Amino acid sequence: MVASRLHGIPPTIFAEMSALAVRTGSVNLGQGFPDEDGPETVVAAAVGALRAGANQYAPGIGVPALRRAIADHQLRHYGLELDPDTQVAVTTGCTEAVAAALLGLVEPGDEVVVLEPYYDSYLAMLQMAGGVRRPVTLRSPDFRVDLDELRAAVTPRTRFVLLNSPHNPTGTVLTRTEVEAVAALALEHDLTVITDEVYEHLVYDGSEHVPVATLPGMAERTLTLSSVGKSYSLTGWKVGWATGPAHLVSAVVAAKQWLTFTSGAPLQPAVAVALADHPDWPTALARDLQDKRDLLVSGLVAAGLPTSTPQGTYFATSDVSGLGWDDGLAFCLALPERAGVVAIPAQVFYDDPRGPGRHLVRWAFCKKRDVLAEATSRLGAADLGR
Ligand code: GLN
Protein backbone atom coordinates (compact mmCIF):
# COMPACT_ATOMS: atom_id res chain seq x y z
CA MET A 1 0.00 0.00 0.00
CA VAL A 2 3.04 2.24 0.40
CA ALA A 3 3.63 4.97 -2.20
CA SER A 4 6.12 4.39 -4.98
CA ARG A 5 8.56 6.85 -3.49
CA LEU A 6 9.09 4.28 -0.72
CA HIS A 7 9.08 1.18 -2.93
CA GLY A 8 11.92 -1.20 -2.28
CA ILE A 9 12.92 0.47 0.97
CA PRO A 10 12.73 -2.07 3.78
CA PRO A 11 11.95 -1.17 7.40
CA THR A 12 15.02 0.27 9.12
CA ILE A 13 17.34 -2.53 10.21
CA PHE A 14 17.93 -0.78 13.56
CA ALA A 15 14.33 -1.16 14.70
CA GLU A 16 14.23 -4.74 13.45
CA MET A 17 17.39 -5.80 15.25
CA SER A 18 16.54 -3.96 18.50
CA ALA A 19 13.16 -5.73 18.52
CA LEU A 20 14.98 -9.03 17.97
CA ALA A 21 17.25 -8.27 20.94
CA VAL A 22 14.28 -7.57 23.20
CA ARG A 23 12.39 -10.64 21.99
CA THR A 24 15.33 -12.98 22.57
CA GLY A 25 16.79 -11.33 25.66
CA SER A 26 20.07 -10.85 23.80
CA VAL A 27 22.88 -8.40 24.49
CA ASN A 28 22.16 -5.64 21.96
CA LEU A 29 25.29 -4.54 20.13
CA GLY A 30 23.14 -3.67 17.11
CA GLN A 31 21.56 -0.22 17.10
CA GLY A 32 24.11 2.38 18.14
CA PHE A 33 22.99 4.06 21.32
CA PRO A 34 24.95 4.42 24.54
CA ASP A 35 23.73 2.74 27.73
CA GLU A 36 24.93 5.65 29.86
CA ASP A 37 23.38 9.12 29.52
CA GLY A 38 25.14 12.41 28.87
CA PRO A 39 26.01 15.07 31.49
CA GLU A 40 23.67 15.24 34.48
CA THR A 41 23.73 19.06 34.45
CA VAL A 42 22.48 19.01 30.85
CA VAL A 43 19.62 16.70 31.79
CA ALA A 44 18.91 19.03 34.73
CA ALA A 45 18.86 21.98 32.32
CA ALA A 46 16.16 20.22 30.28
CA VAL A 47 14.13 19.56 33.42
CA GLY A 48 14.59 23.21 34.38
CA ALA A 49 13.42 24.34 30.94
CA LEU A 50 10.31 22.14 31.19
CA ARG A 51 9.52 23.59 34.63
CA ALA A 52 10.30 27.14 33.51
CA GLY A 53 7.66 26.93 30.80
CA ALA A 54 9.63 26.25 27.60
CA ASN A 55 6.70 24.17 26.46
CA GLN A 56 5.33 25.95 23.41
CA TYR A 57 6.66 26.08 19.86
CA ALA A 58 10.25 27.14 19.47
CA PRO A 59 11.15 29.23 16.41
CA GLY A 60 11.41 27.01 13.32
CA ILE A 61 15.08 27.82 12.84
CA GLY A 62 15.81 27.04 16.52
CA VAL A 63 16.06 29.01 19.77
CA PRO A 64 18.66 31.83 19.64
CA ALA A 65 20.75 30.48 22.54
CA LEU A 66 21.22 27.14 20.79
CA ARG A 67 22.00 28.67 17.40
CA ARG A 68 24.60 30.85 19.11
CA ALA A 69 26.08 27.81 20.91
CA ILE A 70 26.27 25.85 17.63
CA ALA A 71 28.01 28.76 15.89
CA ASP A 72 30.46 29.01 18.82
CA HIS A 73 31.08 25.25 18.63
CA GLN A 74 32.02 25.49 14.94
CA LEU A 75 34.32 28.43 15.67
CA ARG A 76 35.95 26.86 18.72
CA HIS A 77 36.65 23.48 17.15
CA TYR A 78 37.19 24.32 13.48
CA GLY A 79 37.68 28.07 13.13
CA LEU A 80 34.48 28.32 11.07
CA GLU A 81 32.67 31.64 11.46
CA LEU A 82 28.90 31.51 11.17
CA ASP A 83 26.10 34.02 11.57
CA PRO A 84 23.76 32.28 14.03
CA ASP A 85 20.74 34.04 12.51
CA THR A 86 21.19 32.91 8.92
CA GLN A 87 23.79 30.16 8.84
CA VAL A 88 22.57 27.80 11.58
CA ALA A 89 19.30 25.85 11.77
CA VAL A 90 18.17 23.42 14.45
CA THR A 91 16.60 20.13 13.34
CA THR A 92 14.99 17.09 14.93
CA GLY A 93 18.16 15.05 15.00
CA CYS A 94 20.61 14.79 12.16
CA THR A 95 18.19 12.41 10.43
CA GLU A 96 15.80 15.30 9.88
CA ALA A 97 18.68 17.52 8.80
CA VAL A 98 19.55 14.93 6.11
CA ALA A 99 15.90 14.69 5.07
CA ALA A 100 15.38 18.45 4.93
CA ALA A 101 18.67 19.00 3.10
CA LEU A 102 17.86 16.45 0.40
CA LEU A 103 14.22 17.50 0.04
CA GLY A 104 15.17 21.17 0.11
CA LEU A 105 18.04 20.99 -2.37
CA VAL A 106 17.93 17.96 -4.68
CA GLU A 107 15.95 18.16 -7.93
CA PRO A 108 14.52 14.93 -9.35
CA GLY A 109 17.21 13.41 -11.55
CA ASP A 110 20.13 15.14 -9.83
CA GLU A 111 22.99 12.78 -9.23
CA VAL A 112 24.43 12.56 -5.75
CA VAL A 113 27.80 10.96 -5.09
CA VAL A 114 27.63 9.04 -1.82
CA LEU A 115 29.93 6.72 0.08
CA GLU A 116 28.71 3.13 0.13
CA PRO A 117 27.92 1.47 2.56
CA TYR A 118 25.43 4.20 3.33
CA TYR A 119 23.53 4.97 6.46
CA ASP A 120 20.03 3.73 5.67
CA SER A 121 18.21 7.06 5.83
CA TYR A 122 20.34 8.44 2.96
CA LEU A 123 18.96 5.81 0.63
CA ALA A 124 15.35 6.40 1.66
CA MET A 125 15.62 10.18 1.51
CA LEU A 126 17.47 10.25 -1.81
CA GLN A 127 14.71 8.11 -3.27
CA MET A 128 11.97 10.29 -1.77
CA ALA A 129 13.69 13.39 -3.16
CA GLY A 130 14.06 11.78 -6.60
CA GLY A 131 17.86 11.98 -6.45
CA VAL A 132 20.01 9.42 -8.21
CA ARG A 133 22.77 7.94 -6.11
CA ARG A 134 26.24 7.37 -7.48
CA PRO A 135 27.96 5.14 -4.92
CA VAL A 136 31.67 5.13 -4.17
CA THR A 137 32.32 1.87 -2.36
CA LEU A 138 34.47 1.46 0.74
CA ARG A 139 35.76 -2.12 0.84
CA SER A 140 36.87 -4.26 3.76
CA PRO A 141 39.16 -4.64 5.54
CA ASP A 142 40.51 -1.06 5.43
CA PHE A 143 37.44 0.78 4.02
CA ARG A 144 39.41 3.56 2.30
CA VAL A 145 38.06 5.78 -0.47
CA ASP A 146 39.38 4.83 -3.90
CA LEU A 147 40.08 8.28 -5.29
CA ASP A 148 39.86 7.12 -8.91
CA GLU A 149 36.45 5.61 -8.19
CA LEU A 150 35.44 8.86 -6.52
CA ARG A 151 36.42 10.90 -9.57
CA ALA A 152 34.75 8.44 -11.93
CA ALA A 153 31.45 8.75 -10.02
CA VAL A 154 31.03 12.38 -11.11
CA THR A 155 29.09 12.93 -14.35
CA PRO A 156 27.60 16.04 -15.97
CA ARG A 157 24.41 15.40 -14.00
CA THR A 158 26.14 15.33 -10.61
CA ARG A 159 25.18 18.21 -8.34
CA PHE A 160 25.96 16.95 -4.84
CA VAL A 161 28.31 14.89 -2.75
CA LEU A 162 26.68 13.41 0.33
CA LEU A 163 29.60 12.77 2.64
CA ASN A 164 29.77 11.06 6.02
CA SER A 165 32.92 11.19 8.12
CA PRO A 166 33.56 9.64 10.60
CA HIS A 167 31.66 7.06 8.60
CA ASN A 168 28.84 4.83 9.78
CA PRO A 169 28.95 1.80 9.54
CA THR A 170 32.67 1.32 8.71
CA GLY A 171 34.29 3.63 11.29
CA THR A 172 36.46 5.17 8.57
CA VAL A 173 37.66 8.70 9.31
CA LEU A 174 38.44 10.39 6.00
CA THR A 175 42.04 11.59 5.88
CA ARG A 176 42.89 15.15 4.96
CA THR A 177 44.01 13.85 1.54
CA GLU A 178 40.63 12.17 0.99
CA VAL A 179 38.68 15.25 2.08
CA GLU A 180 40.90 17.37 -0.19
CA ALA A 181 40.05 15.09 -3.09
CA VAL A 182 36.34 15.63 -2.42
CA ALA A 183 36.89 19.37 -2.21
CA ALA A 184 38.87 19.46 -5.45
CA LEU A 185 36.08 17.60 -7.25
CA ALA A 186 33.43 19.89 -5.79
CA LEU A 187 35.33 22.98 -6.92
CA GLU A 188 36.06 21.58 -10.36
CA HIS A 189 32.48 20.45 -11.06
CA ASP A 190 30.61 23.10 -9.07
CA LEU A 191 29.14 20.56 -6.63
CA THR A 192 27.52 21.21 -3.28
CA VAL A 193 28.71 19.01 -0.42
CA ILE A 194 26.25 17.84 2.20
CA THR A 195 28.27 16.33 5.02
CA ASP A 196 26.98 14.30 7.95
CA GLU A 197 29.50 14.75 10.77
CA VAL A 198 27.56 13.38 13.74
CA TYR A 199 30.59 11.37 14.90
CA GLU A 200 32.85 14.44 14.61
CA HIS A 201 34.21 14.08 18.16
CA LEU A 202 34.39 10.29 18.29
CA VAL A 203 37.81 9.73 16.73
CA TYR A 204 40.62 7.57 18.09
CA ASP A 205 44.38 7.05 18.20
CA GLY A 206 45.04 10.70 17.48
CA SER A 207 43.26 10.67 14.13
CA GLU A 208 41.90 14.02 13.04
CA HIS A 209 38.38 14.83 11.89
CA VAL A 210 38.70 17.23 8.95
CA PRO A 211 35.41 19.03 8.27
CA VAL A 212 35.15 19.60 4.53
CA ALA A 213 33.89 23.15 5.20
CA THR A 214 37.35 24.06 6.58
CA LEU A 215 39.13 23.53 3.26
CA PRO A 216 39.80 26.54 1.01
CA GLY A 217 36.77 27.52 -1.07
CA MET A 218 34.53 24.95 0.59
CA ALA A 219 32.69 26.93 3.31
CA GLU A 220 30.59 28.57 0.55
CA ARG A 221 29.46 25.24 -0.90
CA THR A 222 29.20 22.93 2.10
CA LEU A 223 26.20 22.17 4.27
CA THR A 224 27.43 20.54 7.49
CA LEU A 225 25.07 18.41 9.57
CA SER A 226 25.55 17.19 13.11
CA SER A 227 23.71 16.62 16.36
CA VAL A 228 23.97 16.42 20.12
CA GLY A 229 23.05 12.73 20.19
CA LYS A 230 26.40 11.05 19.60
CA SER A 231 28.68 13.75 21.05
CA TYR A 232 26.83 13.99 24.36
CA SER A 233 25.21 10.54 24.62
CA LEU A 234 21.70 11.96 24.23
CA THR A 235 20.53 10.08 21.14
CA GLY A 236 16.87 10.07 22.22
CA TRP A 237 16.70 13.85 22.39
CA LYS A 238 16.75 14.12 18.60
CA VAL A 239 18.31 17.56 18.44
CA GLY A 240 20.52 18.18 15.43
CA TRP A 241 21.58 21.05 13.23
CA ALA A 242 22.64 22.24 9.83
CA THR A 243 25.30 24.91 9.34
CA GLY A 244 26.72 26.60 6.27
CA PRO A 245 26.05 29.39 3.82
CA ALA A 246 22.65 31.06 4.21
CA HIS A 247 21.36 29.87 0.82
CA LEU A 248 21.88 26.22 1.84
CA VAL A 249 20.64 26.60 5.42
CA SER A 250 17.49 28.39 4.24
CA ALA A 251 16.72 25.46 1.91
CA VAL A 252 16.91 23.17 4.96
CA VAL A 253 14.52 25.45 6.86
CA ALA A 254 12.19 25.64 3.83
CA ALA A 255 11.76 21.86 3.93
CA LYS A 256 11.97 21.44 7.70
CA GLN A 257 8.99 23.73 8.33
CA TRP A 258 6.79 21.15 6.54
CA LEU A 259 8.34 18.14 8.23
CA THR A 260 8.40 18.85 11.97
CA PHE A 261 7.74 22.63 11.85
CA THR A 262 9.98 23.15 14.90
CA SER A 263 12.06 20.95 17.20
CA GLY A 264 11.58 20.18 20.92
CA ALA A 265 11.47 23.51 22.77
CA PRO A 266 12.65 22.42 26.26
CA LEU A 267 15.56 20.40 24.89
CA GLN A 268 17.06 23.22 22.86
CA PRO A 269 18.23 25.42 25.76
CA ALA A 270 19.64 22.30 27.42
CA VAL A 271 21.64 21.44 24.31
CA ALA A 272 22.95 25.00 24.37
CA VAL A 273 24.17 24.30 27.92
CA ALA A 274 25.88 21.10 26.73
CA LEU A 275 27.75 22.86 23.93
CA ALA A 276 28.60 26.02 25.85
CA ASP A 277 29.38 24.67 29.32
CA HIS A 278 30.76 21.22 28.56
CA PRO A 279 32.96 21.69 25.50
CA ASP A 280 35.38 18.95 26.58
CA TRP A 281 32.78 16.31 27.42
CA PRO A 282 32.89 14.68 23.96
CA THR A 283 36.68 14.36 24.11
CA ALA A 284 36.43 12.51 27.42
CA LEU A 285 33.70 10.33 25.90
CA ALA A 286 36.00 9.51 22.98
CA ARG A 287 38.81 8.47 25.37
CA ASP A 288 36.44 6.12 27.14
CA LEU A 289 35.10 4.80 23.83
CA GLN A 290 38.60 4.10 22.55
CA ASP A 291 39.17 1.73 25.49
CA LYS A 292 35.78 0.13 24.88
CA ARG A 293 36.61 -0.27 21.22
CA ASP A 294 39.80 -2.12 22.17
CA LEU A 295 37.90 -4.29 24.63
CA LEU A 296 35.31 -5.23 22.02
CA VAL A 297 37.72 -5.74 19.13
CA SER A 298 40.06 -7.96 21.18
CA GLY A 299 37.08 -9.92 22.50
CA LEU A 300 35.71 -10.45 18.98
CA VAL A 301 39.10 -11.52 17.65
CA ALA A 302 39.49 -13.94 20.58
CA ALA A 303 36.06 -15.34 19.71
CA GLY A 304 37.32 -16.11 16.21
CA LEU A 305 35.86 -13.07 14.44
CA PRO A 306 38.41 -11.09 12.39
CA THR A 307 37.54 -7.45 13.11
CA SER A 308 38.72 -4.11 11.72
CA THR A 309 39.76 -1.52 14.30
CA PRO A 310 37.83 1.66 13.49
CA GLN A 311 39.40 5.12 13.77
CA GLY A 312 36.04 6.74 14.54
CA THR A 313 32.33 6.25 15.37
CA TYR A 314 31.27 3.62 17.88
CA PHE A 315 31.10 0.70 15.48
CA ALA A 316 33.48 -2.14 14.63
CA THR A 317 33.07 -4.49 11.69
CA SER A 318 33.81 -8.21 11.56
CA ASP A 319 34.21 -10.49 8.58
CA VAL A 320 32.22 -13.69 9.18
CA SER A 321 33.25 -15.44 5.95
CA GLY A 322 36.05 -17.34 7.72
CA LEU A 323 33.43 -19.02 9.89
CA GLY A 324 31.74 -20.34 6.78
CA TRP A 325 29.08 -17.65 6.42
CA ASP A 326 28.75 -15.82 3.16
CA ASP A 327 25.68 -13.94 4.32
CA GLY A 328 25.94 -11.56 7.26
CA LEU A 329 22.15 -11.29 7.56
CA ALA A 330 21.83 -15.06 8.04
CA PHE A 331 24.65 -14.86 10.62
CA CYS A 332 22.92 -12.02 12.50
CA LEU A 333 19.56 -13.80 12.46
CA ALA A 334 21.16 -16.96 13.87
CA LEU A 335 23.22 -15.11 16.45
CA PRO A 336 20.59 -14.57 19.18
CA GLU A 337 19.96 -18.30 19.37
CA ARG A 338 23.60 -19.29 19.01
CA ALA A 339 25.08 -16.74 21.37
CA GLY A 340 22.43 -14.38 22.80
CA VAL A 341 23.95 -11.36 21.04
CA VAL A 342 22.54 -9.01 18.40
CA ALA A 343 24.59 -7.26 15.70
CA ILE A 344 23.80 -5.44 12.43
CA PRO A 345 24.39 -7.06 9.03
CA ALA A 346 26.34 -4.43 7.09
CA GLN A 347 25.18 -5.72 3.70
CA VAL A 348 21.90 -3.83 4.12
CA PHE A 349 23.93 -0.63 3.67
CA TYR A 350 25.21 -1.70 0.24
CA ASP A 351 23.19 -1.62 -3.01
CA ASP A 352 23.92 -5.26 -3.75
CA PRO A 353 23.26 -7.56 -0.76
CA ARG A 354 25.49 -10.16 -2.49
CA GLY A 355 28.19 -7.55 -3.05
CA PRO A 356 31.22 -6.40 -1.06
CA GLY A 357 29.35 -6.16 2.25
CA ARG A 358 27.70 -9.57 2.26
CA HIS A 359 30.01 -11.10 4.87
CA LEU A 360 30.30 -8.03 7.12
CA VAL A 361 28.71 -7.56 10.54
CA ARG A 362 28.68 -4.34 12.58
CA TRP A 363 28.92 -4.22 16.39
CA ALA A 364 28.34 -1.16 18.60
CA PHE A 365 30.81 -0.58 21.44
CA CYS A 366 29.08 2.39 23.12
CA LYS A 367 28.11 0.06 25.97
CA LYS A 368 29.23 -0.50 29.56
CA ARG A 369 32.38 -2.58 29.92
CA ASP A 370 30.55 -5.46 31.60
CA VAL A 371 28.02 -5.52 28.74
CA LEU A 372 30.84 -5.73 26.19
CA ALA A 373 32.59 -8.41 28.26
CA GLU A 374 29.37 -10.41 28.56
CA ALA A 375 28.78 -10.20 24.81
CA THR A 376 32.27 -11.31 23.87
CA SER A 377 32.28 -14.10 26.44
CA ARG A 378 28.96 -15.36 25.04
CA LEU A 379 30.41 -15.19 21.53
CA GLY A 380 33.57 -16.99 22.67
CA ALA A 381 31.54 -19.79 24.23
CA ALA A 382 29.18 -20.21 21.27
CA ASP A 383 29.52 -22.31 18.16
CA LEU A 384 29.59 -19.60 15.51
CA GLY A 385 30.41 -21.86 12.57
CA ARG A 386 27.96 -22.06 9.66
N1 GLN B 1 22.64 5.85 14.14
C1 GLN B 1 22.33 4.65 14.86
C2 GLN B 1 23.07 3.47 14.31
O1 GLN B 1 23.68 3.54 13.27
C3 GLN B 1 20.89 4.26 14.85
C4 GLN B 1 19.89 5.33 14.56
C5 GLN B 1 18.57 4.73 14.20
O2 GLN B 1 18.16 3.75 14.78
N2 GLN B 1 17.94 5.27 13.22
O3 GLN B 1 23.04 2.44 14.91
Side-chain angles (χ1 to χ4, degrees), residues 61 67-68 71 80-89 243-244 246 249:
I61 193 172
R67 282 185 281 114
R68 161 59 60 196
L80 290 166
E81 285 190 43
L82 295 161
D83 173 358
D85 291 331
T86 59
Q87 299 185 313
V88 179
T243 59
V249 170

Side-chain angles (χ1 to χ4, degrees), residues 14 31-32 119 168 199 230 315 362:
F14 303 115
Q31 190 177 31
Y119 185 57
N168 180 10
Y199 297 99
K230 312 297 190 292
F315 307 114
R362 190 197 82 171

Side-chain angles (χ1 to χ4, degrees), residues 28-29 31 33-35 292 364-369 371-372:
N28 188 0
L29 302 188
Q31 190 177 31
F33 60 91
D35 54 7
K292 290 176 169 177
F365 53 83
C366 47
K367 304 293 175 185
K368 291 180 182 142
R369 284 171 174 71
V371 173
L372 297 173

Side-chain angles (χ1 to χ4, degrees), residues 50-125:
L50 281 162
R51 293 244 158 81
N55 298 305
Q56 310 307 329
Y57 299 126
I61 193 172
V63 302
L66 178 53
R67 282 185 281 114
R68 161 59 60 196
I70 293 164
D72 289 348
H73 172 276
Q74 294 304 91
L75 182 62
R76 182 185 318 118
H77 289 284
Y78 310 122
L80 290 166
E81 285 190 43
L82 295 161
D83 173 358
D85 291 331
T86 59
Q87 299 185 313
V88 179
V90 176
T91 57
T92 301
C94 190
T95 300
E96 192 200 31
V98 169
L102 297 179
L103 291 173
L105 290 165
V106 174
E107 293 288 354
D110 281 351
E111 290 188 0
V112 182
V113 172
V114 52
L115 300 179
E116 182 193 43
Y118 5 70
Y119 185 57
D120 62 354
S121 90
Y122 302 170
L123 197 86
M125 289 317 306

Side-chain angles (χ1 to χ4, degrees), residues 60-386:
I61 193 172
V63 302
L66 178 53
R67 282 185 281 114
R68 161 59 60 196
I70 293 164
D72 289 348
H73 172 276
Q74 294 304 91
L75 182 62
R76 182 185 318 118
H77 289 284
Y78 310 122
L80 290 166
E81 285 190 43
L82 295 161
D83 173 358
D85 291 331
T86 59
Q87 299 185 313
V88 179
V90 176
T91 57
T92 301
C94 190
T95 300
E96 192 200 31
V98 169
L102 297 179
L103 291 173
L105 290 165
V106 174
E107 293 288 354
D110 281 351
E111 290 188 0
V112 182
V113 172
V114 52
L115 300 179
E116 182 193 43
Y118 5 70
Y119 185 57
D120 62 354
S121 90
Y122 302 170
L123 197 86
M125 289 317 306
L126 278 172
Q127 183 166 320
M128 283 195 245
V132 178
R133 61 182 182 277
R134 300 277 304 178
V136 175
T137 303
L138 311 179
R139 292 184 170 78
S140 73
D142 60 342
F143 300 112
R144 295 320 316 173
V145 180
D146 179 324
L147 297 184
D148 290 329
E149 224 179 287
L150 173 70
R151 284 187 277 267
V154 177
T155 80
R157 282 185 302 281
T158 307
R159 285 192 59 222
F160 298 92
V161 180
L162 175 53
L163 210 61
N164 172 218
S165 179
H167 181 263
N168 180 10
T170 65
T172 290
V173 179
L174 295 186
T175 61
R176 184 169 287 278
T177 305
E178 288 164 337
V179 180
E180 279 170 354
V182 172
L185 266 186
L187 292 166
E188 183 185 341
H189 297 275
D190 192 22
L191 311 178
T192 296
V193 178
I194 301 170
T195 173
D196 170 354
E197 302 186 354
V198 286
Y199 297 99
E200 59 190 316
H201 295 296
L202 306 185
V203 294
Y204 312 121
D205 304 325
S207 47
E208 181 196 16
H209 166 59
V210 181
V212 63
T214 60
L215 298 191
M218 290 308 293
E220 303 90 284
R221 57 175 66 247
T222 300
L223 183 70
T224 303
L225 315 177
S226 192
S227 83
V228 77
K230 312 297 190 292
S231 299
Y232 287 87
S233 296
L234 296 166
T235 62
W237 283 24
K238 300 299 297 171
V239 177
W241 48 83
T243 59
H247 69 280
L248 297 179
V249 170
S250 60
V252 170
V253 176
K256 184 235 159 58
Q257 67 185 323
W258 309 120
L259 294 171
T260 53
F261 183 48
T262 73
S263 300
L267 298 179
Q268 292 190 45
V271 174
V273 168
L275 295 177
D277 295 355
H278 303 278
D280 299 326
W281 202 89
T283 312
L285 174 64
R287 269 197 300 273
D288 186 47
L289 283 169
Q290 181 173 315
D291 291 346
K292 290 176 169 177
R293 174 199 67 173
D294 294 343
L295 190 66
L296 177 69
V297 171
S298 60
L300 291 171
V301 170
L305 290 152
T307 305
S308 306
T309 299
Q311 295 308 300
T313 75
Y314 34 54
F315 307 114
T317 299
S318 298
D319 179 340
V320 297
S321 59
L323 294 166
W325 300 84
D326 75 342
D327 184 331
L329 178 59
F331 174 87
C332 288
L333 291 176
L335 202 54
E337 200 179 311
R338 297 276 187 103
V341 179
V342 159
I344 298 285
Q347 80 217 67
V348 304
F349 307 124
Y350 289 81
D351 277 342
D352 176 6
R354 309 301 308 151
R358 76 194 174 285
H359 53 285
L360 301 179
V361 169
R362 190 197 82 171
W363 316 85
F365 53 83
C366 47
K367 304 293 175 185
K368 291 180 182 142
R369 284 171 174 71
D370 57 334
V371 173
L372 297 173
E374 173 67 24
T376 51
S377 95
R378 288 183 185 197
L379 290 166
D383 173 11
L384 299 178
R386 175 79 174 95

